[in-house]
């Protein structure tokens, strides 16, 4: 299949579209700025309360007449541009495909050679997030602002989290069954004012020695906090590369299962740590303020990552070194059984996106300029990206569309086929956006017989108003039909092209309903959940005890308790914190809209990550290895991203 790298089939139409949009944009920008000036966020209200001069109100009163005058002057040009722009949308393609141009930094081809479908299994990591990159005036309805700056910061944080080195931590103590925040903070602390990750003195309370296995003596915290330098793609090292941190109870102590150390240095306690600010996170310096702090981490906590190029090394030894320790699969499985005897996989609230993230699905990337900024940042890690997905005008849907679908897909593996469908059944404000579903087929390897190993991914964003259950159920019906059609139309079984092996089939996105609310019973019982497994749910209306909501209470986005990734992580690990900062379903019986029900103290989980256990290669099995709720985008969006790591292995392999 040909992937479209431009929105129009020829340069003439592209040029005409650019001219028409140039005529429309001043009017669009002025309307957005004018509306935004009358919708302050809670952060701006606090600033105004501390400012006795009320400078912001003075500026609003001064510039509003100017905006209005310019808006009136721009209307004729906008109308002329619209006359050209609207018919052009019938020729517009439904997405833009972007591939990292610097082939020397590309890693997709190298990844394909890593797995041949034999030997040890292969893990694939998926993440989904609603990032609320709307025009600034609309984003303020959700208490978010400065869409352009947020887009850049979101891309940086995702890249930095996914590109950090892989760290494995062991606690050598028969009584200590968890790793405290202090232990994690001794390895990496929030970024200081000089942009350097610092160790926190005295933060290891119950241990006497810390050692790590690596290569070249490079400290793993250098990139765990900051990730690769801005604009630099991550190193194409193997996803299984890891760094081991060994924490023992006695000086020189060593766990009985420790393996022979590889050449490398020692990680020791350092100087003072950075401080937390109270400003929104998108006003901070490049990189995120999160740490590896994970109070919920269990006895053998796994915080995986990749080692990227150290931009500041300047040719120093070990600047591009890789961490070459590969953890034992048997050891990991045994550790999971010790940590969660009632669960077959790890689950946690994490301050970071998973390391070695392979596929990223985003929703509500509506603003075109923000999408371009986000795409440029993500290209520092992901080689293949689809953005500006959707239709405009009256193309393909019943009503006029002012916004695209808001979907964005990023991948480290080559994309083979793409399809997009717009939901026809929408109403109210949702009808202005071309919400739909994006279907992708990716190649993740090849067998020794040159059979392609592929995977299927679908990303969607369903109808938003909570009372419209029938519309969402109709969209789920369409989603199932489109999934089947896409699998059928892209399958290969001819003699010239040997049958492909399907490794995974994943559906994710913002479904806009939860599995606990009585208002969402129709969606909870939909047949999609019989074909695809939701790792967080036991059944319709019944969640697993560790599952938490993914929709934040917008009123508390800028509170000091949750304004950094590690702060939000700590808050969400307690039921009291979840009741305070997560959104909860409405209660019809009580008559109190938005009432927080004590019996359902985990909030509304509306962002889903599903996977199929049937329809894959008959000799293989796909199992969830990890599932995490991510706080790294605190202050940048009103949703919690979720991530899932699948282990695909041959049925003949040992568990």
């Amino acid at each position: 299949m040909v992937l479209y790298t431009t929105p129009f089939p020829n340069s003439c139409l592209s040029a005409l579209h650019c001219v028409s949009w140039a005529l429309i944009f001043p009017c669009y920008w002025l309307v957005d700025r004018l509306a935004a000036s009358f919708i302050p966020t809670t952060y701006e209200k606090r600033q105004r309360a501390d400012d006795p001069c009320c400078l912001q109100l003075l500026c609003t009163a001064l510039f509003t007449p100017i905006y209005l005058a310019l808006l009136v002057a721009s209307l004729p040009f906008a109308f002329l541009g619209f006359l050209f722009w609207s018919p052009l949308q019938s020729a517009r393609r439904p997405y833009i495909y972007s591939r990292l141009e610097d082939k020397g930094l590309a890693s997709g081809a190298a990844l394909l050679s890593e797995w041949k479908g034999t030997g040890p299994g292969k893990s694939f990591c998926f993440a989904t997030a609603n990032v609320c990159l709307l025009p600034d005036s609309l984003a303020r309805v959700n208490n978010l602002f400065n869409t352009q700056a947020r887009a850049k910061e979101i891309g940086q944080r995702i890249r930095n989290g996914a590109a950090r080195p892989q760290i494995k931590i062991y606690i050598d103590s028969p009584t200590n069954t968890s790793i405290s925040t202090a232990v994690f903070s001794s390895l990496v602390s929030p970024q200081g004012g000089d942009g350097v990750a610092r160790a926190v003195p005295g933060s290891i309370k119950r241990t006497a020695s810390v050692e790590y296995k690596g290569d070249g003596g490079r400290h793993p915290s250098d990139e765990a906090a900051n990730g690769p330098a801005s604009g630099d793609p991550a190193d194409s090292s193997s996803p299984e590369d890891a760094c081991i941190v060994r924490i023992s109870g006695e000086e020189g102590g060593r766990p009985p299962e420790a393996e022979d150390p590889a050449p490398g240095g020692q990680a020791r306690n350092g100087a003072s740590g950075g401080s937390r600010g109270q400003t929104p996170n998108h006003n901070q310096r490049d990189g995120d303020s999160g740490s590896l702090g994970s109070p919920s981490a269990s006895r053998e906590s796994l915080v995986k990552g990749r080692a990227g190029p150290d931009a500041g090394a300047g040719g120093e030894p070990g600047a591009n070194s890789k961490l070459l320790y590969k953890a034992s699969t048997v050891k990991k499985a045994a550790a999971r059984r010790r940590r969660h005897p009632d669960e077959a996989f790890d689950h946690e609230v994490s301050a970071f996106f998973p390391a070695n993230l392979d596929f990223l699905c985003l929703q509500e990337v509506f603003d075109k300029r923000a999408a371009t900024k986000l795409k440029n940042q993500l290209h520092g890690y992901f080689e293949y990206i689809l953005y500006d997905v959707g239709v405009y005008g009256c193309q393909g849907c019943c009503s006029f569309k002012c916004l695209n679908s808001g979907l964005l897909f990023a991948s480290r593996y080559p994309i083979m086929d793409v399809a997009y469908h717009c939901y026809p059944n929408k109403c109210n404000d949702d009808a202005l956006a071309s919400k739909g579903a994006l279907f992708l087929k990716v190649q993740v390897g090849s067998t020794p017989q040159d059979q392609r190993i592929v995977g299927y991914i679908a990303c969607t964003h369903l109808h938003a108003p909570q009372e419209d259950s029938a519309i969402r159920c109709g969209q789920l019906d369409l989603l199932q039909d489109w999934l089947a059609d896409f699998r059928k139309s892209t399958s290969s079984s001819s003699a010239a092209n040997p049958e492909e092996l399907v490794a995974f089939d994943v559906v994710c996105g913002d479904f806009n309903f939860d599995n606990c609310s009585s208002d969402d019973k129709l969606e909870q019982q939909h047949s999609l959940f019989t074909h695809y497994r939701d790792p967080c749910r036991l059944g319709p209306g019944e969640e697993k005890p560790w599952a938490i909501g993914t929709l934040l209470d917008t009123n508390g986005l800028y509170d000091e308790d949750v304004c950094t990734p590690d702060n939000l992580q700590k808050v969400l690990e307690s039921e009291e914190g979840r009741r305070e900062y997560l959104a909860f379903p409405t209660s019809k019986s009580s008559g109190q809209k938005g009432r927080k029900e004590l019996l359902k103290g985990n909030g509304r989980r509306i962002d889903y990550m599903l996977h199929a256990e049937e329809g894959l290669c008959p000799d293989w099995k796909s199992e969830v290895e990890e599932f995490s709720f991510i706080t790294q985008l605190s202050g940048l969006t009103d949703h919690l991203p979720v991530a899932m790591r699948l282990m695909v292995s041959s049925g003949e392999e040992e568990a």
Side-chain angles (χ1 to χ4, degrees):
M1 179 180 178
V2 177
L3 298 175
Y4 304 127
T5 57
T6 59
F8 291 94
N10 57 65
S11 57
C12 180
L13 292 177
S14 296
L16 189 58
H17 179 266
C18 290
V19 171
S20 64
W21 181 246
L23 294 172
I24 296 173
F25 181 76
C27 181
Y28 161 80
W29 185 85
L30 288 166
V31 170
D32 185 43
R33 294 313 310 157
L34 187 61
S37 63
F38 293 98
I39 312 175
T41 63
T42 55
Y43 173 74
E44 291 170 328
K45 290 178 181 178
R46 292 171 188 172
Q47 281 190 319
R48 294 176 185 178
D50 296 335
D51 183 8
C53 297
C54 297
L55 181 61
Q56 184 67 32
L57 292 176
L58 181 62
C59 290
T60 300
L62 178 64
F63 285 105
T64 297
I66 299 176
Y67 282 152
L68 285 173
L70 292 175
L71 177 60
V72 172
S74 67
L75 285 175
F77 298 97
F79 179 74
L80 179 62
F82 181 80
L83 294 179
F84 288 96
W85 177 86
S86 184
L88 281 174
Q89 303 314 305
S90 61
R92 184 187 176 276
R93 292 159 171 171
Y95 60 83
I96 301 177
Y97 169 72
S98 176
R99 182 176 180 181
L100 191 65
E101 294 181 358
D102 190 346
K103 299 300 189 297
L105 297 174
S107 60
L111 288 173
L112 292 181
S113 63
E114 290 182 357
W115 190 40
K116 299 295 183 181
T118 58
K122 178 73 172 179
S123 67
F124 299 96
C125 190
F126 309 80
T128 182
N130 183 318
V131 291
C132 199
L133 292 178
L134 290 152
D136 201 49
S137 57
L138 298 179
R140 287 169 177 268
V141 176
N142 292 336
N143 202 24
L144 295 163
F145 66 106
N146 206 342
T147 294
Q148 307 306 316
R150 283 194 300 114
K152 182 178 179 180
E153 181 70 11
I154 286 170
Q156 289 173 349
R157 292 197 186 186
I158 294 174
R159 183 195 65 204
N160 293 348
R164 73 190 191 278
Q166 184 173 344
I167 300 175
K168 190 86 168 179
I169 297 182
Y170 295 94
I171 295 292
D172 183 23
S173 171
T175 59
N176 184 13
T177 59
S178 66
I179 300 177
S180 68
T181 307
V183 173
F184 268 101
S185 299
S186 67
L187 301 173
V188 180
S189 70
Q191 183 175 335
D194 56 358
V196 178
R198 304 178 185 274
V200 180
S203 56
I204 297 183
K205 305 295 185 183
R206 294 167 293 186
T207 61
S209 68
V210 180
E211 63 180 1
Y212 80 96
K213 299 180 181 181
D215 182 42
R218 184 178 182 184
H219 198 288
S221 66
D222 293 342
E223 289 180 9
N226 300 313
S230 179
D232 292 343
D235 191 277
S236 58
S237 58
S238 168
E240 300 299 333
D241 293 350
C243 173
I244 298 297
V245 177
R246 188 78 65 182
I247 303 178
S248 55
E250 299 177 354
E251 184 65 40
R254 184 173 181 175
E257 62 194 36
E259 301 179 11
D260 293 337
Q266 300 288 327
R268 301 294 183 189
N269 290 342
S272 62
S275 60
R276 296 192 183 100
Q278 298 182 15
T279 58
N281 288 314
H282 53 274
N283 290 333
Q284 296 174 4
R285 298 185 51 177
D286 187 4
D288 60 66
S289 62
S291 71
L292 287 178
S294 181
S296 66
S298 48
R299 177 178 174 83
E300 187 192 24
S301 179
L302 181 62
V303 185
K304 294 185 177 179
R306 307 165 28 93
D310 190 349
E316 295 178 5
N320 294 313
S321 63
K322 299 179 181 178
L323 303 172
L324 300 177
Y325 182 84
K326 185 174 291 186
S328 166
T329 303
V330 176
K331 187 188 299 180
K332 289 191 294 183
R336 281 198 301 274
R337 286 192 292 269
R338 289 198 303 270
R339 287 199 303 274
H340 310 299
D342 59 335
E343 190 63 85
F345 56 87
D346 295 335
H347 43 78
E348 65 173 347
V349 178
S350 172
F352 282 98
F353 274 84
N356 299 312
L357 180 61
D358 296 306
F359 307 102
L360 175 68
C361 299
L362 300 179
Q363 302 86 47
E364 290 199 9
V365 188
F366 288 117
D367 188 272
K368 285 186 176 182
R369 291 185 298 151
T372 301
K373 291 180 173 65
L374 178 59
K375 181 259 299 183
N376 292 338
Q377 292 296 324
L378 292 177
H379 261 323
Y381 181 81
F382 295 99
E383 183 178 352
Y384 312 92
I385 295 178
L386 291 175
Y387 68 105
D388 198 9
V389 178
V391 296
Y392 297 90
C394 295
Q395 178 192 357
C397 293
C398 300
S399 58
F400 187 86
K401 306 299 176 186
C402 300
L403 299 172
N404 60 26
S405 70
L407 302 177
L408 183 146
F409 176 78
S411 171
R412 294 172 60 212
Y413 289 89
I415 299 172
M416 299 176 63
D417 290 284
V418 180
Y420 161 78
H421 295 281
C422 178
Y423 291 125
N425 54 337
K426 296 186 291 290
C427 65
N428 301 327
D429 296 341
D430 265 22
L432 298 176
S434 59
K435 284 187 176 181
L438 180 66
F439 304 93
L440 305 113
K441 178 182 177 182
V442 295
Q443 183 176 359
V444 296
S446 60
T447 68
Q449 295 77 30
D450 292 329
Q451 287 179 291
R452 285 195 295 252
I453 304 175
V454 301
Y456 287 93
I457 305 170
C459 178
T460 188
H461 190 183
L462 300 184
H463 190 67
Q466 189 174 359
E467 64 274 8
D468 295 333
S469 293
I471 292 179
R472 278 189 294 274
C473 285
Q475 291 177 346
L476 289 174
D477 292 338
L478 290 172
L479 178 63
Q480 281 198 110
D481 295 339
W482 292 337
L483 282 166
D485 291 343
F486 184 71
R487 284 283 299 266
K488 184 178 180 180
S489 63
T490 59
S491 64
S492 175
S493 59
S494 65
N497 192 3
E499 185 175 358
E500 297 162 334
L501 305 179
V502 180
F504 56 79
D505 186 356
V506 171
V507 178
C508 62
D510 182 353
F511 286 13
N512 273 313
F513 66 86
D514 62 70
N515 192 42
C516 290
S517 174
S518 59
D519 295 343
D520 297 333
K521 285 186 177 180
L522 287 177
E523 298 96 315
Q524 295 163 10
Q525 299 171 358
H526 196 272
S527 59
L528 178 71
F529 294 101
T530 64
H531 297 94
Y532 289 84
R533 181 190 172 196
D534 180 358
C536 296
R537 90 178 207 158
L538 293 170
E542 187 178 6
E543 294 278 80
K544 292 186 177 179
W546 51 265
I548 67 172
T550 60
L551 186 61
L552 298 172
D553 185 345
T554 56
N555 292 325
L557 292 181
Y558 305 113
D559 288 0
E560 184 179 1
D561 290 342
V562 295
C563 68
T564 62
D566 48 347
N567 280 7
L568 180 57
Q569 177 196 33
K570 294 172 186 175
V571 164
L572 295 182
E573 285 167 347
S574 68
E575 186 174 0
E576 293 77 10
R578 292 192 291 270
R579 290 175 184 167
E580 181 69 21
Y581 289 102
L582 291 181
F584 282 70
T586 58
S587 176
K588 288 183 177 180
S589 59
S590 65
Q592 300 178 19
K593 188 175 182 180
R595 173 179 170 269
K596 297 183 178 181
E597 302 177 12
L598 297 181
L599 296 179
K600 299 176 181 178
N602 287 344
R604 296 196 68 205
R605 185 176 62 89
I606 65 175
D607 298 272
Y608 287 76
M609 185 74 70
L610 314 177
H611 71 101
E613 295 179 322
E614 299 178 354
L616 310 179
C617 179
D619 296 330
W620 294 352
K621 60 180 179 180
S622 175
E623 296 179 328
V624 178
E625 191 177 26
E626 299 170 11
F627 196 96
S628 56
F629 300 88
I630 302 161
T631 64
Q632 195 170 6
L633 301 185
S634 62
L636 300 176
T637 179
D638 57 343
H639 286 243
L640 286 180
V642 296
M644 175 179 69
R645 192 180 298 274
L646 282 179
M647 172 61 73
V648 181
S649 59
S650 169
E652 299 176 357
E653 298 175 17
E654 295 182 1

